[in-house]
Amino acid sequence: MVKASRESKTSAAQATARLRQAGLRPTRQRVELAGLLFQSGDRHVTAESLHDEVSHAGVKVSLATVYNTLHQFTEAGLLRQVIVDAARSYFDTNTGDHQHFFLEKEGLLIDIPGETIAVAGVPTPPAGLSVDRVDVVVRVRRN
Amino acid sequence: MVKASRESKTSAAQATARLRQAGLRPTRQRVELAGLLFQSGDRHVTAESLHDEVSHAGVKVSLATVYNTLHQFTEAGLLRQVIVDAARSYFDTNTGDHQHFFLEKEGLLIDIPGETIAVAGVPTPPAGLSVDRVDVVVRVRRN
DNA sequence: CTCACACATTAGAATTATTCTAATGTGTTG
DNA sequence: CAACACATTAGAATAATTCTAATGTGTGAG
Ligand SMILES: [Mn+2]
Ligand SMILES: [Mn+2]
Ligand SMILES: [Zn+2]
Ligand SMILES: [Zn+2]
């Protein structure tokens, strides 16, 4: 009891601190979403999956707010957007340098740690352009 | 005159041959679209850009047919879909192994030949999965 | 060469993810 | 405890894409 309550206080407190550091007001909705996103390890969510999750947890947050929040968190550097599917946008709690396996059929993203894959030979971009990032997506399928 | 007419005959004939080989009926619309797509070198198009192009060339093809055709060509292995933008699907006439620069702001894709970039250290996928392809996108921006 | 018919095209409606609008609510600061 | 800037929300709007169901056409059999 003591431990559980200390843990959930810590989670909300951590979320609140993280939001303040990012210059975002710790509203009920943002604290709830940040709690779900950053409590456990690295996660990959879509707006809908996160909305379902927060709803099933009994918390009332509109889908518009989930979209707003995901984009605000992304701008604040707390999340990163991953583009692997033409139909859905994924958001990743792991903002560090890393790559992904993507299982298209099931919409599943799996992290590949940043040091694992080496990309050599990236050419100098055409004049006037500079490299922003290099994304590697390993598309996989069930055997 | 002779040369021009021979060239355009050749282009239509080539398109027709290519379509037959792929098991697709060479309809007026498919021949026109194949002509635009495969006549010149490697190209990256969206459904809308191709529809605009074919329309401005004075040919009447519906947007639905452009979508149908792009997907049929892709299934037939004449095109390959490139996923780099959450908002639009790109189709690539270069179906060989190669990678891309992507200029998000302008929706511009630039080929990087297949031998240029080396990706090392791709881990074995989780059990039950096998690698379908490895995509590298070099996201660039204007200086 | 013609006809039948499987296949293709099309307009417009439908779908789906996402964004916008504009009204209402709330965290923060003094 | 205001005041107000910022946030949330329902529902409408948007935009890419797909679907529907009616019409057109390429082609192989005869
Ligand atoms: Mn998005
Ligand atoms: Mn869409
Ligand atoms: Zn990740
Ligand atoms: Zn290409």
Side-chain angles (χ1 to χ4, degrees), chain A residues 35-58:
Chain A
L36 289 172
L37 287 170
F38 304 119
Q39 201 162 60
S40 48
D42 296 338
R43 303 201 53 191
H44 304 97
V45 302
T46 64
E48 248 204 308
S49 78
L50 184 58
H51 183 246
D52 284 357
E53 188 177 340
V54 76
S55 299
H56 291 158

Side-chain angles (χ1 to χ4, degrees), chain B residues 23-38:
Chain B
L24 296 167
R25 284 190 185 175
T27 64
R28 176 179 62 82
Q29 293 84 340
R30 285 174 180 165
V31 171
E32 290 287 358
L33 293 172
L36 290 172
L37 287 171
F38 305 120

